[in-house]
Amino acid sequence: MATYPPYIPPKDSLFAAWLANMAALLNADPLPYGLTAPQAVDVDGVNTTFQAAYTTAIDPATRTTPTVAAKDAARASAEAVV
């Protein structure tokens, strides 16, 4: 049986771009991906949350232990949805 690498990028910067692209594609038309409009809304929601948390966590002026933890929690939530 073939083994496939994980499709979710491990680096946060790559994950942010991947998730934003996925949300955009699903919002445009979720049906080709076998999803429904409400599922696309769910992906868009976790994308919005993750992008905000990621932006805060990578900014040197706002990077703190709590902001990094919030980013990690947002990523875990997003991964659970996608």
XYZ file of all heavy atoms in Angstrom:
598
model
N 0.829 -1.166 0.000
C 0.000 0.000 0.000
C 0.889 1.249 0.000
O 1.859 1.332 0.730
C -0.915 -0.024 1.216
C -1.820 1.156 1.305
S -2.900 1.019 2.737
C -4.447 1.139 1.919
N 0.520 2.224 -0.799
C 1.312 3.445 -0.922
C 1.185 4.315 0.323
O 0.130 4.373 0.939
C 0.859 4.231 -2.143
N 2.268 4.968 0.664
C 2.270 5.902 1.771
C 2.389 7.307 1.204
O 3.257 7.580 0.387
C 3.462 5.638 2.709
O 3.386 4.292 3.154
C 3.448 6.558 3.897
N 1.502 8.185 1.635
C 1.489 9.547 1.136
C 1.982 10.504 2.209
O 1.679 10.322 3.391
C 0.082 9.952 0.688
C -0.433 9.089 -0.431
C -1.316 8.049 -0.184
C -0.006 9.299 -1.729
C -1.777 7.239 -1.212
C -0.458 8.506 -2.765
C -1.342 7.476 -2.504
O -1.783 6.686 -3.525
N 2.719 11.530 1.812
C 3.155 12.506 2.807
C 1.960 13.333 3.288
O 0.932 13.393 2.611
C 4.140 13.382 2.021
C 3.718 13.245 0.599
C 3.161 11.852 0.471
N 2.079 13.954 4.434
C 0.981 14.788 4.914
C 0.728 15.935 3.927
O 1.657 16.482 3.349
C 1.469 15.317 6.255
C 2.848 14.844 6.437
C 3.208 13.939 5.319
N -0.523 16.276 3.735
C -0.842 17.340 2.783
C -0.916 18.701 3.453
O -0.987 19.725 2.780
C -2.145 17.036 2.043
C -3.379 17.011 2.908
C -4.159 18.145 3.090
C -3.780 15.848 3.554
C -5.291 18.125 3.880
C -4.908 15.815 4.347
C -5.660 16.957 4.503
O -6.776 16.936 5.294
N -0.899 18.734 4.758
C -0.920 20.003 5.480
C 0.522 20.423 5.751
O 1.283 19.679 6.369
C -1.709 19.869 6.803
C -3.167 19.530 6.510
C -1.600 21.157 7.623
C -4.021 19.288 7.734
N 0.911 21.621 5.277
C 2.293 22.070 5.476
C 2.652 22.202 6.957
O 1.865 22.709 7.751
C 2.315 23.449 4.801
C 1.161 23.461 3.871
C 0.120 22.575 4.493
N 3.843 21.755 7.324
C 4.235 21.804 8.736
C 4.631 23.208 9.223
O 4.417 23.537 10.378
C 5.417 20.845 8.823
C 5.965 20.785 7.442
C 4.808 21.018 6.512
N 5.208 24.030 8.348
C 5.621 25.383 8.747
C 4.411 26.304 8.781
O 3.581 26.289 7.887
C 6.631 25.960 7.748
C 8.056 25.603 8.018
C 8.983 26.342 7.090
C 9.187 27.760 7.600
N 10.218 28.488 6.880
N 4.336 27.136 9.819
C 3.199 28.047 9.955
C 3.052 28.989 8.768
O 1.935 29.270 8.335
C 3.309 28.860 11.250
C 2.986 28.054 12.493
O 2.278 27.030 12.380
O 3.444 28.453 13.578
N 4.163 29.495 8.241
C 4.074 30.421 7.106
C 3.471 29.734 5.887
O 2.640 30.325 5.180
C 5.445 30.996 6.769
O 6.353 29.960 6.430
N 3.862 28.506 5.641
C 3.310 27.752 4.511
C 1.866 27.350 4.780
O 1.023 27.359 3.881
C 4.164 26.519 4.226
C 5.601 26.792 3.803
C 6.371 25.483 3.661
C 5.646 27.593 2.516
N 1.573 27.005 6.031
C 0.210 26.652 6.403
C -0.728 27.838 6.216
O -1.849 27.681 5.733
C 0.159 26.163 7.853
C -1.216 25.815 8.328
C -1.844 24.659 7.888
C -1.901 26.645 9.202
C -3.129 24.324 8.320
C -3.176 26.333 9.644
C -3.794 25.164 9.200
N -0.269 29.032 6.569
C -1.097 30.236 6.419
C -1.475 30.444 4.958
O -2.642 30.709 4.634
C -0.370 31.458 6.966
N -0.515 30.304 4.062
C -0.789 30.474 2.633
C -1.697 29.352 2.118
O -2.640 29.597 1.355
C 0.519 30.500 1.846
N -1.431 28.129 2.541
C -2.222 26.970 2.112
C -3.670 27.102 2.559
O -4.607 26.893 1.793
C -1.589 25.694 2.673
C -2.324 24.439 2.374
C -2.235 23.686 1.241
C -3.279 23.780 3.215
N -3.073 22.596 1.349
C -3.722 22.631 2.536
C -3.786 24.059 4.483
C -4.647 21.756 3.082
C -4.713 23.189 5.023
C -5.136 22.057 4.322
N -3.866 27.488 3.823
C -5.209 27.608 4.373
C -5.973 28.750 3.705
O -7.162 28.607 3.395
C -5.151 27.810 5.885
C -6.486 27.841 6.632
C -7.248 26.523 6.441
C -6.258 28.128 8.103
N -5.304 29.871 3.472
C -5.954 31.001 2.796
C -6.389 30.603 1.391
O -7.502 30.942 0.954
C -5.014 32.201 2.747
N -5.540 29.873 0.681
C -5.884 29.410 -0.661
C -7.056 28.438 -0.610
O -7.992 28.541 -1.420
C -4.668 28.751 -1.320
C -4.960 28.313 -2.734
O -5.367 29.107 -3.565
N -4.753 27.030 -3.000
N -7.018 27.519 0.331
C -8.101 26.551 0.452
C -9.426 27.254 0.742
O -10.455 26.939 0.139
C -7.798 25.535 1.543
C -8.878 24.504 1.742
S -8.408 23.328 3.007
C -9.118 21.864 2.336
N -9.413 28.210 1.652
C -10.634 28.943 1.993
C -11.163 29.699 0.778
O -12.375 29.704 0.526
C -10.366 29.908 3.151
N -10.271 30.315 0.012
C -10.696 31.056 -1.185
C -11.316 30.128 -2.217
O -12.364 30.441 -2.805
C -9.508 31.808 -1.785
N -10.688 28.988 -2.453
C -11.222 28.032 -3.428
C -12.580 27.495 -2.990
O -13.503 27.376 -3.815
C -10.244 26.872 -3.630
C -8.939 27.212 -4.327
C -7.981 26.020 -4.258
C -9.184 27.629 -5.766
N -12.704 27.176 -1.728
C -13.968 26.634 -1.230
C -15.075 27.681 -1.225
O -16.233 27.361 -1.498
C -13.791 26.054 0.172
C -12.924 24.805 0.264
C -12.755 24.381 1.709
C -13.484 23.685 -0.581
N -14.724 28.928 -0.929
C -15.741 29.981 -0.954
C -16.232 30.243 -2.368
O -17.392 30.588 -2.562
C -15.212 31.265 -0.326
C -15.276 31.205 1.176
O -16.171 30.606 1.744
N -14.314 31.816 1.829
N -15.346 30.088 -3.336
C -15.739 30.299 -4.731
C -16.715 29.219 -5.188
O -17.718 29.511 -5.840
C -14.514 30.332 -5.628
N -16.425 27.952 -4.849
C -17.284 26.836 -5.251
C -16.872 25.576 -4.504
O -15.918 24.902 -4.899
C -17.191 26.610 -6.763
C -18.223 25.613 -7.274
O -19.088 25.172 -6.484
O -18.169 25.282 -8.469
N -17.560 25.242 -3.430
C -17.164 24.074 -2.641
C -17.512 22.728 -3.283
O -16.928 21.702 -2.934
C -17.937 24.256 -1.337
C -19.134 25.054 -1.706
C -18.680 25.961 -2.826
N -18.448 22.715 -4.205
C -18.926 21.443 -4.755
C -17.850 20.600 -5.439
O -17.831 19.375 -5.250
C -20.106 21.693 -5.697
C -21.356 22.292 -5.028
C -22.441 22.556 -6.060
C -21.850 21.412 -3.905
N -16.943 21.170 -6.248
C -15.913 20.320 -6.867
C -15.008 19.610 -5.852
O -14.347 18.633 -6.188
C -15.092 21.290 -7.714
C -15.989 22.443 -7.971
C -16.867 22.536 -6.746
N -14.998 20.109 -4.632
C -14.165 19.509 -3.585
C -14.971 18.561 -2.694
O -14.476 18.082 -1.676
C -13.512 20.617 -2.748
C -12.689 21.530 -3.607
C -13.224 22.725 -4.089
C -11.406 21.184 -4.013
C -12.486 23.562 -4.916
C -10.666 22.006 -4.838
C -11.212 23.187 -5.292
O -10.482 24.002 -6.117
N -16.210 18.329 -3.080
C -17.061 17.416 -2.340
C -17.567 17.995 -1.030
O -17.906 17.247 -0.111
N -17.602 19.317 -0.935
C -18.052 19.966 0.283
C -19.299 20.797 0.023
O -19.663 21.042 -1.119
C -16.938 20.859 0.846
C -15.653 20.131 1.251
C -14.600 21.126 1.701
C -15.923 19.120 2.344
N -19.924 21.224 1.092
C -21.124 22.044 1.000
C -20.771 23.500 1.337
O -19.691 23.778 1.883
C -22.187 21.550 1.995
O -21.681 21.718 3.325
C -22.549 20.082 1.739
N -21.703 24.391 1.059
C -21.483 25.801 1.385
C -21.273 26.009 2.891
O -20.375 26.774 3.282
C -22.631 26.648 0.860
N -22.050 25.357 3.774
C -21.782 25.527 5.213
C -20.387 25.041 5.630
O -19.754 25.627 6.502
C -22.876 24.704 5.886
C -23.995 24.688 4.897
C -23.308 24.638 3.553
N -19.891 23.998 4.991
C -18.538 23.526 5.298
C -17.503 24.550 4.839
O -16.491 24.770 5.512
C -18.283 22.172 4.642
C -19.056 21.050 5.311
C -18.988 19.755 4.524
O -19.098 19.742 3.297
N -18.815 18.655 5.247
N -17.753 25.184 3.695
C -16.848 26.231 3.213
C -16.832 27.404 4.190
O -15.777 27.998 4.440
C -17.265 26.695 1.824
N -17.985 27.722 4.756
C -18.071 28.796 5.757
C -17.251 28.423 6.993
O -16.557 29.271 7.570
C -19.534 29.099 6.125
C -19.631 30.018 7.331
C -20.265 29.700 4.931
N -17.299 27.161 7.392
C -16.502 26.701 8.538
C -15.009 26.877 8.271
O -14.262 27.343 9.136
C -16.794 25.234 8.860
C -18.183 25.010 9.427
O -18.826 25.984 9.879
O -18.620 23.837 9.417
N -14.571 26.494 7.073
C -13.157 26.637 6.713
C -12.774 28.115 6.691
O -11.705 28.500 7.187
C -12.846 25.953 5.361
C -11.426 26.265 4.903
C -13.048 24.447 5.464
N -13.646 28.945 6.147
C -13.360 30.373 6.109
C -13.235 30.944 7.525
O -12.362 31.775 7.791
C -14.452 31.109 5.328
C -14.078 32.543 5.040
O -12.962 32.776 4.520
O -14.888 33.438 5.334
N -14.072 30.473 8.420
C -14.011 30.945 9.810
C -12.704 30.600 10.495
O -12.091 31.458 11.139
N -12.265 29.348 10.355
C -10.999 28.967 10.999
C -9.823 29.643 10.307
O -8.806 29.942 10.943
C -10.797 27.433 11.094
C -11.836 26.813 12.011
C -10.769 26.758 9.753
N -9.956 29.906 9.003
C -8.906 30.638 8.297
C -8.785 32.051 8.854
O -7.685 32.512 9.153
C -9.186 30.682 6.795
C -8.171 31.532 6.056
O -6.970 31.312 6.159
N -8.654 32.523 5.332
N -9.899 32.725 9.008
C -9.887 34.097 9.531
C -9.254 34.137 10.923
O -8.400 34.987 11.209
C -11.314 34.667 9.580
O -11.839 34.671 8.242
C -11.347 36.063 10.150
N -9.645 33.201 11.758
C -9.106 33.145 13.124
C -7.609 32.861 13.113
O -6.831 33.517 13.815
C -9.850 32.077 13.950
O -11.241 32.408 13.971
C -9.312 31.991 15.363
N -7.196 31.880 12.310
C -5.773 31.541 12.271
C -4.947 32.694 11.712
O -3.883 33.013 12.249
C -5.509 30.271 11.448
C -4.032 30.005 11.314
C -3.322 29.478 12.374
C -3.347 30.330 10.152
C -1.942 29.274 12.280
C -1.979 30.131 10.047
C -1.264 29.595 11.115
N -5.407 33.314 10.619
C -4.626 34.394 10.009
C -4.407 35.536 10.997
O -3.302 36.096 11.074
C -5.300 34.901 8.725
C -5.449 33.868 7.630
C -4.149 33.291 7.089
O -3.080 33.853 7.238
N -4.250 32.137 6.442
N -5.444 35.889 11.753
C -5.311 36.963 12.742
C -4.328 36.573 13.843
O -3.456 37.366 14.236
C -6.673 37.296 13.334
N -4.455 35.346 14.340
C -3.558 34.883 15.402
C -2.122 34.760 14.898
O -1.167 35.120 15.604
C -4.048 33.542 15.949
N -1.954 34.281 13.677
C -0.617 34.131 13.087
C 0.045 35.497 12.910
O 1.216 35.679 13.266
C -0.729 33.396 11.747
C 0.576 33.296 11.000
C 1.629 32.533 11.486
C 0.762 33.973 9.798
C 2.823 32.437 10.811
C 1.954 33.885 9.106
C 2.989 33.122 9.614
O 4.174 33.037 8.938
N -0.697 36.457 12.384
C -0.155 37.799 12.178
C 0.298 38.413 13.499
O 1.369 39.014 13.586
C -1.212 38.697 11.498
O -1.556 38.117 10.235
C -0.700 40.103 11.283
N -0.496 38.226 14.535
C -0.147 38.751 15.857
C 1.080 38.036 16.419
O 1.971 38.666 16.995
C -1.332 38.600 16.826
O -2.454 39.292 16.279
C -1.015 39.160 18.197
N 1.155 36.731 16.223
C 2.251 35.944 16.796
C 3.588 36.170 16.105
O 4.632 35.966 16.724
C 1.897 34.458 16.758
N 3.582 36.585 14.848
C 4.872 36.781 14.162
C 5.358 38.224 14.213
O 6.500 38.493 13.861
C 4.825 36.285 12.698
C 3.848 37.093 11.855
C 4.543 34.796 12.640
C 3.974 36.835 10.353
N 4.509 39.138 14.635
C 4.902 40.540 14.746
C 5.751 40.703 16.009
O 5.284 40.421 17.107
C 3.658 41.420 14.826
C 3.970 42.895 14.866
O 5.131 43.281 15.152
O 3.050 43.691 14.609
N 6.991 41.163 15.865
C 7.846 41.306 17.049
C 7.240 42.184 18.142
O 7.497 41.963 19.333
C 9.127 41.935 16.500
C 9.146 41.553 15.061
C 7.699 41.505 14.628
N 6.424 43.138 17.758
C 5.822 44.038 18.748
C 4.733 43.357 19.580
O 4.440 43.798 20.695
C 5.232 45.268 18.052
N 4.142 42.293 19.049
C 3.049 41.621 19.763
C 3.332 40.152 20.040
O 2.469 39.451 20.558
C 1.732 41.736 18.959
O 1.933 41.214 17.637
C 1.264 43.178 18.870
N 4.521 39.695 19.703
C 4.862 38.283 19.922
C 5.143 38.045 21.407
O 6.136 38.531 21.953
C 6.069 37.877 19.089
C 6.410 36.402 19.208
C 7.564 36.017 18.291
N 7.920 34.633 18.461
C 7.363 33.612 17.835
N 6.384 33.846 16.966
N 7.755 32.379 18.032
N 4.254 37.299 22.033
C 4.400 36.936 23.441
C 4.033 35.459 23.577
O 3.508 34.854 22.623
C 3.458 37.768 24.334
O 2.101 37.472 23.960
C 3.729 39.262 24.206
N 4.284 34.900 24.721
C 3.907 33.503 24.960
C 2.403 33.294 24.746
O 2.010 32.331 24.076
C 4.356 33.051 26.362
O 5.779 33.191 26.450
C 3.967 31.615 26.625
N 1.545 34.180 25.251
C 0.103 33.991 25.020
C -0.303 34.129 23.541
O -1.182 33.401 23.085
C -0.557 35.081 25.862
C 0.438 35.400 26.927
C 1.776 35.224 26.274
N 0.341 35.035 22.796
C -0.050 35.168 21.380
C 0.407 33.964 20.567
O -0.291 33.543 19.651
C 0.466 36.485 20.745
O 1.895 36.512 20.776
C -0.113 37.696 21.429
N 1.548 33.411 20.913
C 2.006 32.193 20.231
C 1.094 31.021 20.593
O 0.731 30.208 19.733
C 3.482 31.891 20.563
C 3.905 30.530 20.022
C 4.384 32.983 20.003
N 0.687 30.939 21.846
C -0.238 29.878 22.263
C -1.584 30.023 21.558
O -2.185 29.021 21.141
C -0.429 29.904 23.776
N -2.046 31.248 21.378
C -3.311 31.480 20.669
C -3.181 31.060 19.202
O -4.101 30.469 18.631
C -3.711 32.948 20.770
N -2.029 31.342 18.609
C -1.785 30.921 17.218
C -1.775 29.406 17.113
O -2.369 28.825 16.204
C -0.457 31.513 16.730
C -0.098 31.227 15.289
C 0.902 30.121 15.112
C 2.164 30.246 15.933
N 2.930 28.986 15.933
N -1.114 28.756 18.052
C -1.059 27.293 18.044
C -2.452 26.686 18.220
O -2.791 25.700 17.560
C -0.116 26.780 19.132
C 1.345 27.109 18.852
O 1.689 27.435 17.695
O 2.145 27.054 19.810
N -3.253 27.274 19.099
C -4.621 26.789 19.306
C -5.469 27.014 18.057
O -6.259 26.140 17.671
C -5.255 27.483 20.506
N -5.290 28.161 17.408
C -6.036 28.445 16.176
C -5.632 27.483 15.073
O -6.469 27.028 14.290
C -5.815 29.891 15.739
N -4.360 27.145 15.010
C -3.904 26.190 13.999
C -4.492 24.807 14.264
O -4.950 24.136 13.336
C -2.382 26.113 13.958
C -1.923 25.100 12.916
C -0.456 25.020 12.723
N -0.167 23.913 11.806
C 0.724 23.954 10.863
N 1.466 25.028 10.672
N 0.928 22.902 10.087
N -4.486 24.377 15.509
C -5.041 23.067 15.845
C -6.518 23.011 15.487
O -6.999 22.002 14.942
C -4.834 22.766 17.326
N -7.234 24.075 15.752
C -8.657 24.147 15.407
C -8.860 24.088 13.896
O -9.718 23.378 13.398
C -9.257 25.425 15.984
O -10.602 25.529 15.632
N -8.018 24.830 13.180
C -8.123 24.835 11.713
C -7.817 23.450 11.149
O -8.515 22.970 10.241
C -7.167 25.870 11.119
N -6.776 22.806 11.661
C -6.439 21.465 11.182
C -7.560 20.477 11.457
O -7.808 19.576 10.644
C -5.129 20.986 11.800
C -3.914 21.671 11.215
C -2.605 21.081 11.715
O -2.599 19.956 12.255
O -1.577 21.748 11.557
N -8.241 20.635 12.575
C -9.358 19.737 12.896
C -10.500 19.906 11.894
O -11.169 18.931 11.544
C -9.853 19.992 14.313
N -10.698 21.128 11.416
C -11.776 21.383 10.450
C -11.392 20.894 9.062
O -12.213 20.278 8.370
C -12.143 22.882 10.420
C -13.079 23.206 9.279
C -12.768 23.283 11.737
N -10.154 21.143 8.657
C -9.761 20.733 7.308
C -9.290 19.304 7.281
O -9.240 18.679 6.265
C -8.698 21.674 6.684
C -9.248 23.072 6.570
C -7.397 21.680 7.457
